[in-house]
Amino acid sequence: MNTELTDEQRKLSDTVREFADTVVAPAAYQYDTERRLPLDIIREMGDLGLFGLPFPVEHGGQGKDYLSLCLAVEALARVDQSIAVTLEAGVGLGIMPIVRHGTAEQRERWLPDLVTGRALAAFGLTEAEAGSDAGATRTTARHEPGPDGGSVWVIDGSKQFITNSGTPITSVVTVTAVTAEEVRDDGTVKKELSSILVPSGTAGFTVGPAYDKVGWHTSDTHPLTFEDVRVPAENLLGELGRGYANFLHALDEGRIAFAALATGAAQGCLEEALRYARTRNVFGRDIGSNQHIAFTLSRMAARVHQARLCYYDAASRLANDLPFKVEASIAKLVGSEAAMANARDASQIFGGYGFLNENPVARHYRDSKVLEIGEGTTEVQLMIIARGLGLSA
């Protein structure tokens, strides 16, 4: 693994870091309080080319590698996890499946606005009883004749916790649905899952009220309901019956960027706590000169370094077509735990000021818990790692 960034990657990281510090950070508290996604900032991110980073130029992208996306996500997450996950989910779960599995017509229809940040896409997998166990999906899609002689998919069911699904610029949601069932010899049922593109505004497709979340207040998250939703048969994304497998690959890949987000959160907590420790004067000296505070900051720095190396390694394996599933889970596990631990330590260093919502470390404290839950819980990561060790966890 080469951990040295190229000049181009360093320049990108510096550019996004400056954008985060000068544009995102000053507005973060206001938008967090208002609990709304700042579309003006999303447009500026699109103008910077962030939504198109890992995609080929022929699809309107920037033609960069996946690590470049991760660097951008990390830089944003330092100051606002909600903005960072809007990019991470918008690219990994929204755009990537269309790029990888879409037809030429689907790419031509959806990608121009998505890769430029003029629109957002979402992926509807999770259900009330189908989160980590996606095989328990109950949403169905059946084939029926269409009004013009063609055929349509008729979708019924619901999804929950879907990021980027209800913004004013959300253009399409990819939905996993059961398209066939087979009863095995032992009486159990094998479900065939497929992915289908559902444009926003389709009749019968309802976006529920936004969740009242502990954190990630700026990030757009909604439950979705599908009642007799009819879309053309051509809206099938990828092969019939490959929806779950294709999503698992996207999720493995997305965990690397998610780990970068967690690393950015841990880094942001370190930066804020270090600044405060150098300027907060108690009993005639700055608190950073106290060994306990200095050692706490040292442990925080070690966590950030470890988390960053983990996601760099997973991204490197991905770029070199090497197996990366276990390494992505390790990166996600290490990064999310580093973010939680650093948020706790940073809040403690700030004392009472760390309990004020206007303080970035307070937002990180609220936001970071979901890093141990979203895109595969800590327990799922441990299960994947254990299986990689040859254990039947």
Side-chain angles (χ1 to χ4, degrees), residues 73-132:
V73 169
E74 180 188 343
L76 291 169
R78 290 168 39 255
V79 301
D80 193 328
Q81 292 187 42
S82 289
I83 294 297
V85 79
T86 299
L87 174 62
E88 186 271 334
V91 171
L93 301 180
I95 305 174
M96 192 67 76
I98 298 175
V99 170
R100 290 201 183 281
H101 310 295
T103 63
E105 292 76 14
Q106 289 169 345
R107 292 171 181 168
E108 183 178 355
R109 177 178 179 182
W110 302 112
L111 292 184
D113 285 339
L114 293 176
V115 299
T116 55
R118 295 193 298 268
L120 292 172
F123 199 108
L125 173 77
T126 304
E127 299 182 5
E129 298 183 15
S132 300

Short mmCIF file of all heavy atoms in Angstrom, two decimals, residues 73-132:
data_model
loop_
_atom_site.label_atom_id
_atom_site.label_comp_id
_atom_site.label_asym_id
_atom_site.label_seq_id
_atom_site.Cartn_x
_atom_site.Cartn_y
_atom_site.Cartn_z
N VAL A 73 -14.73 13.59 0.82
CA VAL A 73 -15.68 13.28 1.89
C VAL A 73 -15.04 13.54 3.25
O VAL A 73 -15.66 14.13 4.15
CB VAL A 73 -16.16 11.81 1.79
CG1 VAL A 73 -16.93 11.41 3.03
CG2 VAL A 73 -17.03 11.63 0.55
N GLU A 74 -13.79 13.12 3.42
CA GLU A 74 -13.10 13.35 4.69
C GLU A 74 -12.98 14.84 4.99
O GLU A 74 -13.23 15.28 6.12
CB GLU A 74 -11.70 12.72 4.68
CG GLU A 74 -10.97 12.96 6.00
CD GLU A 74 -9.51 12.53 6.00
OE1 GLU A 74 -9.11 11.75 5.11
OE2 GLU A 74 -8.77 12.99 6.88
N ALA A 75 -12.58 15.63 3.99
CA ALA A 75 -12.40 17.06 4.20
C ALA A 75 -13.70 17.74 4.61
O ALA A 75 -13.71 18.63 5.47
CB ALA A 75 -11.83 17.70 2.93
N LEU A 76 -14.81 17.33 4.03
CA LEU A 76 -16.11 17.91 4.39
C LEU A 76 -16.57 17.47 5.77
O LEU A 76 -17.11 18.26 6.55
CB LEU A 76 -17.16 17.51 3.35
CG LEU A 76 -17.03 18.11 1.95
CD1 LEU A 76 -17.98 17.42 0.99
CD2 LEU A 76 -17.30 19.61 1.97
N ALA A 77 -16.34 16.19 6.10
CA ALA A 77 -16.84 15.64 7.37
C ALA A 77 -16.16 16.27 8.57
O ALA A 77 -16.71 16.24 9.67
CB ALA A 77 -16.64 14.13 7.39
N ARG A 78 -14.99 16.87 8.39
CA ARG A 78 -14.33 17.56 9.49
C ARG A 78 -15.22 18.62 10.10
O ARG A 78 -15.21 18.86 11.31
CB ARG A 78 -13.05 18.26 9.00
CG ARG A 78 -11.92 17.37 8.61
CD ARG A 78 -10.84 18.15 7.87
NE ARG A 78 -10.62 19.47 8.43
CZ ARG A 78 -11.06 20.61 7.87
NH1 ARG A 78 -11.72 20.57 6.72
NH2 ARG A 78 -10.80 21.77 8.44
N VAL A 79 -16.02 19.29 9.25
CA VAL A 79 -16.81 20.43 9.73
C VAL A 79 -18.31 20.15 9.72
O VAL A 79 -19.06 20.82 10.44
CB VAL A 79 -16.51 21.69 8.89
CG1 VAL A 79 -15.04 22.05 8.97
CG2 VAL A 79 -16.95 21.54 7.44
N ASP A 80 -18.77 19.17 8.91
CA ASP A 80 -20.21 18.90 8.85
C ASP A 80 -20.44 17.51 8.26
O ASP A 80 -20.30 17.30 7.05
CB ASP A 80 -20.92 19.95 8.01
CG ASP A 80 -22.44 19.89 8.15
OD1 ASP A 80 -22.97 18.80 8.36
OD2 ASP A 80 -23.09 20.95 8.06
N GLN A 81 -20.80 16.57 9.12
CA GLN A 81 -21.04 15.21 8.65
C GLN A 81 -22.24 15.12 7.71
O GLN A 81 -22.27 14.29 6.79
CB GLN A 81 -21.23 14.28 9.83
CG GLN A 81 -19.99 14.05 10.68
CD GLN A 81 -20.21 13.00 11.74
OE1 GLN A 81 -20.83 11.96 11.49
NE2 GLN A 81 -19.71 13.25 12.94
N SER A 82 -23.26 15.95 7.94
CA SER A 82 -24.46 15.91 7.10
C SER A 82 -24.14 16.22 5.65
O SER A 82 -24.65 15.56 4.73
CB SER A 82 -25.51 16.89 7.63
OG SER A 82 -26.06 16.46 8.84
N ILE A 83 -23.33 17.25 5.44
CA ILE A 83 -22.93 17.61 4.08
C ILE A 83 -22.09 16.50 3.46
O ILE A 83 -22.23 16.14 2.29
CB ILE A 83 -22.18 18.95 4.08
CG1 ILE A 83 -23.10 20.09 4.50
CG2 ILE A 83 -21.57 19.23 2.70
CD1 ILE A 83 -24.25 20.33 3.58
N ALA A 84 -21.20 15.93 4.28
CA ALA A 84 -20.32 14.86 3.79
C ALA A 84 -21.12 13.63 3.37
O ALA A 84 -20.86 13.03 2.33
CB ALA A 84 -19.29 14.49 4.85
N VAL A 85 -22.13 13.24 4.17
CA VAL A 85 -22.90 12.05 3.82
C VAL A 85 -23.82 12.32 2.64
O VAL A 85 -24.17 11.39 1.89
CB VAL A 85 -23.69 11.52 5.04
CG1 VAL A 85 -24.96 12.32 5.30
CG2 VAL A 85 -24.03 10.05 4.85
N THR A 86 -24.22 13.56 2.44
CA THR A 86 -25.00 13.89 1.24
C THR A 86 -24.19 13.59 -0.01
O THR A 86 -24.71 13.03 -0.98
CB THR A 86 -25.42 15.37 1.26
OG1 THR A 86 -26.22 15.62 2.42
CG2 THR A 86 -26.21 15.73 0.01
N LEU A 87 -22.90 13.92 0.03
CA LEU A 87 -22.01 13.59 -1.09
C LEU A 87 -21.75 12.09 -1.16
O LEU A 87 -21.89 11.48 -2.23
CB LEU A 87 -20.69 14.35 -0.93
CG LEU A 87 -19.60 14.00 -1.95
CD1 LEU A 87 -20.03 14.35 -3.37
CD2 LEU A 87 -18.29 14.69 -1.59
N GLU A 88 -21.41 11.50 -0.03
CA GLU A 88 -21.05 10.08 0.00
C GLU A 88 -22.20 9.21 -0.49
O GLU A 88 -22.03 8.33 -1.34
CB GLU A 88 -20.64 9.68 1.42
CG GLU A 88 -20.12 8.27 1.56
CD GLU A 88 -21.20 7.24 1.85
OE1 GLU A 88 -22.25 7.61 2.42
OE2 GLU A 88 -21.02 6.06 1.49
N ALA A 89 -23.41 9.44 0.04
CA ALA A 89 -24.56 8.64 -0.37
C ALA A 89 -25.02 9.00 -1.78
O ALA A 89 -25.44 8.13 -2.55
CB ALA A 89 -25.71 8.84 0.62
N GLY A 90 -24.94 10.28 -2.11
CA GLY A 90 -25.34 10.71 -3.45
C GLY A 90 -24.52 10.05 -4.53
O GLY A 90 -25.04 9.68 -5.60
N VAL A 91 -23.23 9.87 -4.26
CA VAL A 91 -22.35 9.24 -5.23
C VAL A 91 -22.42 7.71 -5.13
O VAL A 91 -22.70 7.02 -6.11
CB VAL A 91 -20.89 9.71 -5.02
CG1 VAL A 91 -19.93 8.88 -5.88
CG2 VAL A 91 -20.76 11.18 -5.36
N GLY A 92 -22.16 7.17 -3.93
CA GLY A 92 -22.04 5.73 -3.79
C GLY A 92 -23.33 4.97 -3.95
O GLY A 92 -23.36 3.89 -4.55
N LEU A 93 -24.42 5.50 -3.40
CA LEU A 93 -25.70 4.81 -3.46
C LEU A 93 -26.62 5.36 -4.54
O LEU A 93 -27.49 4.64 -5.04
CB LEU A 93 -26.41 4.91 -2.10
CG LEU A 93 -25.65 4.32 -0.91
CD1 LEU A 93 -26.46 4.49 0.37
CD2 LEU A 93 -25.29 2.87 -1.14
N GLY A 94 -26.44 6.63 -4.88
CA GLY A 94 -27.31 7.25 -5.87
C GLY A 94 -26.83 7.08 -7.30
O GLY A 94 -27.53 6.55 -8.17
N ILE A 95 -25.60 7.53 -7.56
CA ILE A 95 -25.08 7.55 -8.93
C ILE A 95 -24.41 6.24 -9.33
O ILE A 95 -24.60 5.74 -10.45
CB ILE A 95 -24.08 8.71 -9.11
CG1 ILE A 95 -24.73 10.04 -8.70
CG2 ILE A 95 -23.60 8.78 -10.55
CD1 ILE A 95 -23.77 11.22 -8.71
N MET A 96 -23.60 5.67 -8.43
CA MET A 96 -22.78 4.51 -8.78
C MET A 96 -23.57 3.36 -9.37
O MET A 96 -23.16 2.76 -10.38
CB MET A 96 -21.98 4.05 -7.56
CG MET A 96 -20.89 3.05 -7.87
SD MET A 96 -19.53 3.77 -8.87
CE MET A 96 -18.67 4.72 -7.60
N PRO A 97 -24.74 2.97 -8.81
CA PRO A 97 -25.49 1.86 -9.41
C PRO A 97 -25.92 2.14 -10.85
O PRO A 97 -25.95 1.23 -11.68
CB PRO A 97 -26.71 1.71 -8.49
CG PRO A 97 -26.25 2.24 -7.17
CD PRO A 97 -25.36 3.39 -7.53
N ILE A 98 -26.24 3.40 -11.16
CA ILE A 98 -26.66 3.73 -12.52
C ILE A 98 -25.47 3.66 -13.46
O ILE A 98 -25.58 3.17 -14.60
CB ILE A 98 -27.32 5.13 -12.55
CG1 ILE A 98 -28.57 5.14 -11.67
CG2 ILE A 98 -27.67 5.54 -13.98
CD1 ILE A 98 -29.22 6.50 -11.53
N VAL A 99 -24.32 4.13 -13.02
CA VAL A 99 -23.11 4.07 -13.85
C VAL A 99 -22.72 2.62 -14.10
O VAL A 99 -22.39 2.23 -15.23
CB VAL A 99 -21.95 4.83 -13.18
CG1 VAL A 99 -20.63 4.57 -13.90
CG2 VAL A 99 -22.24 6.32 -13.15
N ARG A 100 -22.76 1.80 -13.05
CA ARG A 100 -22.28 0.42 -13.17
C ARG A 100 -23.27 -0.49 -13.89
O ARG A 100 -22.86 -1.38 -14.65
CB ARG A 100 -22.00 -0.16 -11.78
CG ARG A 100 -20.80 0.45 -11.09
CD ARG A 100 -20.29 -0.49 -10.00
NE ARG A 100 -19.19 0.09 -9.26
CZ ARG A 100 -17.93 0.13 -9.69
NH1 ARG A 100 -17.64 -0.37 -10.88
NH2 ARG A 100 -16.98 0.67 -8.96
N HIS A 101 -24.56 -0.30 -13.66
CA HIS A 101 -25.53 -1.27 -14.13
C HIS A 101 -26.58 -0.70 -15.08
O HIS A 101 -27.40 -1.45 -15.62
CB HIS A 101 -26.25 -1.92 -12.93
CG HIS A 101 -25.32 -2.43 -11.89
ND1 HIS A 101 -24.44 -3.45 -12.12
CD2 HIS A 101 -25.11 -2.03 -10.59
CE1 HIS A 101 -23.73 -3.69 -11.01
NE2 HIS A 101 -24.12 -2.84 -10.09
N GLY A 102 -26.57 0.60 -15.29
CA GLY A 102 -27.58 1.21 -16.13
C GLY A 102 -27.36 0.98 -17.61
O GLY A 102 -26.24 0.75 -18.07
N THR A 103 -28.45 1.06 -18.36
CA THR A 103 -28.36 0.99 -19.82
C THR A 103 -27.88 2.35 -20.34
O THR A 103 -27.83 3.33 -19.60
CB THR A 103 -29.73 0.68 -20.42
OG1 THR A 103 -30.63 1.76 -20.10
CG2 THR A 103 -30.29 -0.63 -19.86
N ALA A 104 -27.54 2.38 -21.61
CA ALA A 104 -27.12 3.64 -22.22
C ALA A 104 -28.21 4.69 -22.09
O ALA A 104 -27.93 5.87 -21.82
CB ALA A 104 -26.75 3.42 -23.69
N GLU A 105 -29.45 4.28 -22.27
CA GLU A 105 -30.57 5.21 -22.17
C GLU A 105 -30.74 5.72 -20.73
O GLU A 105 -31.01 6.92 -20.53
CB GLU A 105 -31.86 4.54 -22.64
CG GLU A 105 -31.92 4.22 -24.14
CD GLU A 105 -31.08 3.01 -24.52
OE1 GLU A 105 -30.67 2.24 -23.59
OE2 GLU A 105 -30.84 2.81 -25.72
N GLN A 106 -30.60 4.84 -19.77
CA GLN A 106 -30.72 5.25 -18.37
C GLN A 106 -29.61 6.23 -17.99
O GLN A 106 -29.85 7.23 -17.31
CB GLN A 106 -30.69 4.03 -17.46
CG GLN A 106 -31.96 3.18 -17.55
CD GLN A 106 -31.81 1.84 -16.85
OE1 GLN A 106 -30.69 1.40 -16.53
NE2 GLN A 106 -32.93 1.15 -16.62
N ARG A 107 -28.41 5.94 -18.41
CA ARG A 107 -27.29 6.84 -18.11
C ARG A 107 -27.51 8.21 -18.77
O ARG A 107 -27.26 9.25 -18.15
CB ARG A 107 -25.99 6.23 -18.61
CG ARG A 107 -25.53 5.00 -17.85
CD ARG A 107 -24.36 4.36 -18.54
NE ARG A 107 -23.91 3.16 -17.85
CZ ARG A 107 -23.05 2.29 -18.37
NH1 ARG A 107 -22.56 2.49 -19.59
NH2 ARG A 107 -22.67 1.23 -17.68
N GLU A 108 -27.97 8.18 -20.00
CA GLU A 108 -28.18 9.44 -20.72
C GLU A 108 -29.27 10.27 -20.05
O GLU A 108 -29.19 11.50 -20.02
CB GLU A 108 -28.56 9.14 -22.17
CG GLU A 108 -28.74 10.39 -23.04
CD GLU A 108 -29.08 10.06 -24.48
OE1 GLU A 108 -29.08 8.86 -24.84
OE2 GLU A 108 -29.35 10.99 -25.25
N ARG A 109 -30.27 9.61 -19.49
CA ARG A 109 -31.37 10.34 -18.87
C ARG A 109 -30.98 10.93 -17.52
O ARG A 109 -31.31 12.09 -17.22
CB ARG A 109 -32.57 9.41 -18.69
CG ARG A 109 -33.74 10.09 -17.97
CD ARG A 109 -34.94 9.18 -17.84
NE ARG A 109 -36.04 9.84 -17.12
CZ ARG A 109 -37.21 9.26 -16.83
NH1 ARG A 109 -37.43 7.99 -17.19
NH2 ARG A 109 -38.14 9.93 -16.18
N TRP A 110 -30.29 10.14 -16.68
CA TRP A 110 -30.10 10.54 -15.29
C TRP A 110 -28.74 11.17 -14.97
O TRP A 110 -28.66 12.04 -14.10
CB TRP A 110 -30.32 9.33 -14.37
CG TRP A 110 -31.67 8.71 -14.51
CD1 TRP A 110 -31.97 7.49 -15.02
CD2 TRP A 110 -32.93 9.30 -14.13
NE1 TRP A 110 -33.33 7.26 -14.99
CE2 TRP A 110 -33.94 8.36 -14.45
CE3 TRP A 110 -33.29 10.52 -13.56
CZ2 TRP A 110 -35.29 8.60 -14.21
CZ3 TRP A 110 -34.64 10.76 -13.31
CH2 TRP A 110 -35.61 9.80 -13.65
N LEU A 111 -27.69 10.72 -15.61
CA LEU A 111 -26.36 11.13 -15.17
C LEU A 111 -26.01 12.60 -15.35
O LEU A 111 -25.34 13.18 -14.48
CB LEU A 111 -25.29 10.26 -15.87
CG LEU A 111 -25.27 8.79 -15.46
CD1 LEU A 111 -24.12 8.07 -16.14
CD2 LEU A 111 -25.18 8.64 -13.95
N PRO A 112 -26.41 13.26 -16.45
CA PRO A 112 -25.98 14.66 -16.62
C PRO A 112 -26.28 15.55 -15.42
O PRO A 112 -25.42 16.35 -15.01
CB PRO A 112 -26.75 15.10 -17.87
CG PRO A 112 -26.91 13.84 -18.66
CD PRO A 112 -27.16 12.78 -17.63
N ASP A 113 -27.46 15.43 -14.84
CA ASP A 113 -27.80 16.26 -13.68
C ASP A 113 -27.20 15.71 -12.39
O ASP A 113 -26.84 16.48 -11.49
CB ASP A 113 -29.32 16.37 -13.53
CG ASP A 113 -29.94 17.30 -14.56
OD1 ASP A 113 -29.21 18.13 -15.12
OD2 ASP A 113 -31.15 17.17 -14.80
N LEU A 114 -27.06 14.39 -12.29
CA LEU A 114 -26.56 13.80 -11.05
C LEU A 114 -25.08 14.08 -10.83
O LEU A 114 -24.66 14.44 -9.73
CB LEU A 114 -26.82 12.29 -11.03
CG LEU A 114 -28.28 11.85 -10.97
CD1 LEU A 114 -28.39 10.34 -11.07
CD2 LEU A 114 -28.93 12.33 -9.67
N VAL A 115 -24.27 13.91 -11.85
CA VAL A 115 -22.82 14.07 -11.68
C VAL A 115 -22.41 15.54 -11.54
O VAL A 115 -21.27 15.82 -11.15
CB VAL A 115 -22.04 13.42 -12.83
CG1 VAL A 115 -22.31 11.92 -12.89
CG2 VAL A 115 -22.34 14.09 -14.17
N THR A 116 -23.33 16.45 -11.83
CA THR A 116 -23.02 17.88 -11.68
C THR A 116 -23.66 18.48 -10.43
O THR A 116 -23.53 19.68 -10.18
CB THR A 116 -23.50 18.67 -12.91
OG1 THR A 116 -24.90 18.41 -13.13
CG2 THR A 116 -22.71 18.27 -14.15
N GLY A 117 -24.36 17.65 -9.66
CA GLY A 117 -24.97 18.14 -8.43
C GLY A 117 -26.24 18.92 -8.63
O GLY A 117 -26.77 19.51 -7.68
N ARG A 118 -26.76 18.96 -9.85
CA ARG A 118 -28.04 19.64 -10.09
C ARG A 118 -29.22 18.79 -9.61
O ARG A 118 -30.33 19.30 -9.45
CB ARG A 118 -28.20 19.97 -11.58
CG ARG A 118 -27.19 20.97 -12.12
CD ARG A 118 -27.59 21.48 -13.49
NE ARG A 118 -27.65 20.43 -14.48
CZ ARG A 118 -26.64 20.07 -15.28
NH1 ARG A 118 -25.48 20.70 -15.18
NH2 ARG A 118 -26.77 19.11 -16.17
N ALA A 119 -28.95 17.50 -9.41
CA ALA A 119 -29.97 16.58 -8.91
C ALA A 119 -29.31 15.57 -7.98
O ALA A 119 -28.09 15.38 -8.01
CB ALA A 119 -30.67 15.86 -10.08
N LEU A 120 -30.12 14.95 -7.15
CA LEU A 120 -29.65 13.90 -6.26
C LEU A 120 -30.44 12.63 -6.52
O LEU A 120 -31.60 12.67 -6.94
CB LEU A 120 -29.83 14.31 -4.79
CG LEU A 120 -28.95 15.46 -4.28
CD1 LEU A 120 -29.40 15.88 -2.88
CD2 LEU A 120 -27.48 15.04 -4.27
N ALA A 121 -29.81 11.49 -6.25
CA ALA A 121 -30.48 10.19 -6.37
C ALA A 121 -30.32 9.45 -5.05
O ALA A 121 -29.40 9.71 -4.27
CB ALA A 121 -29.89 9.38 -7.51
N ALA A 122 -31.23 8.52 -4.79
CA ALA A 122 -31.21 7.74 -3.56
C ALA A 122 -31.35 6.26 -3.89
O ALA A 122 -31.72 5.88 -5.00
CB ALA A 122 -32.34 8.20 -2.63
N PHE A 123 -31.04 5.43 -2.87
CA PHE A 123 -31.18 3.98 -3.04
C PHE A 123 -32.06 3.47 -1.91
O PHE A 123 -31.72 3.61 -0.73
CB PHE A 123 -29.82 3.29 -3.00
CG PHE A 123 -29.83 1.91 -3.61
CD1 PHE A 123 -29.23 1.68 -4.83
CD2 PHE A 123 -30.47 0.85 -2.98
CE1 PHE A 123 -29.25 0.42 -5.40
CE2 PHE A 123 -30.50 -0.41 -3.54
CZ PHE A 123 -29.88 -0.63 -4.76
N GLY A 124 -33.20 2.88 -2.26
CA GLY A 124 -34.15 2.38 -1.28
C GLY A 124 -33.99 0.89 -1.05
O GLY A 124 -34.54 0.09 -1.81
N LEU A 125 -33.27 0.52 -0.01
CA LEU A 125 -33.09 -0.88 0.35
C LEU A 125 -33.76 -1.20 1.68
O LEU A 125 -34.56 -2.12 1.79
CB LEU A 125 -31.60 -1.23 0.44
CG LEU A 125 -31.29 -2.64 0.96
CD1 LEU A 125 -31.54 -3.67 -0.12
CD2 LEU A 125 -29.86 -2.74 1.47
N THR A 126 -33.45 -0.41 2.72
CA THR A 126 -33.86 -0.72 4.08
C THR A 126 -35.37 -0.66 4.27
O THR A 126 -36.03 0.25 3.77
CB THR A 126 -33.19 0.23 5.07
OG1 THR A 126 -31.77 0.17 4.89
CG2 THR A 126 -33.53 -0.13 6.50
N GLU A 127 -35.89 -1.64 5.00
CA GLU A 127 -37.30 -1.67 5.36
C GLU A 127 -37.43 -1.90 6.87
O GLU A 127 -36.42 -2.14 7.55
CB GLU A 127 -38.03 -2.79 4.59
CG GLU A 127 -38.00 -2.62 3.10
CD GLU A 127 -38.76 -3.70 2.35
OE1 GLU A 127 -39.41 -4.54 3.04
OE2 GLU A 127 -38.72 -3.72 1.12
N ALA A 128 -38.64 -1.85 7.36
CA ALA A 128 -38.87 -2.01 8.80
C ALA A 128 -38.32 -3.33 9.31
O ALA A 128 -37.81 -3.42 10.43
CB ALA A 128 -40.36 -1.89 9.10
N GLU A 129 -38.41 -4.38 8.50
CA GLU A 129 -37.92 -5.70 8.92
C GLU A 129 -36.82 -6.21 8.02
O GLU A 129 -36.51 -7.40 8.02
CB GLU A 129 -39.09 -6.69 8.96
CG GLU A 129 -40.18 -6.32 9.96
CD GLU A 129 -41.27 -7.35 10.04
OE1 GLU A 129 -41.07 -8.48 9.54
OE2 GLU A 129 -42.34 -7.05 10.60
N ALA A 130 -36.22 -5.30 7.25
CA ALA A 130 -35.17 -5.72 6.32
C ALA A 130 -34.08 -4.65 6.28
O ALA A 130 -34.07 -3.79 5.41
CB ALA A 130 -35.75 -5.94 4.92
N GLY A 131 -33.21 -4.69 7.29
CA GLY A 131 -32.07 -3.79 7.32
C GLY A 131 -30.82 -4.59 7.01
O GLY A 131 -30.47 -4.82 5.87
N SER A 132 -30.16 -5.08 8.07
CA SER A 132 -29.02 -5.96 7.87
C SER A 132 -29.44 -7.24 7.14
O SER A 132 -28.67 -7.80 6.36
CB SER A 132 -28.39 -6.32 9.22
OG SER A 132 -27.94 -5.15 9.88
#
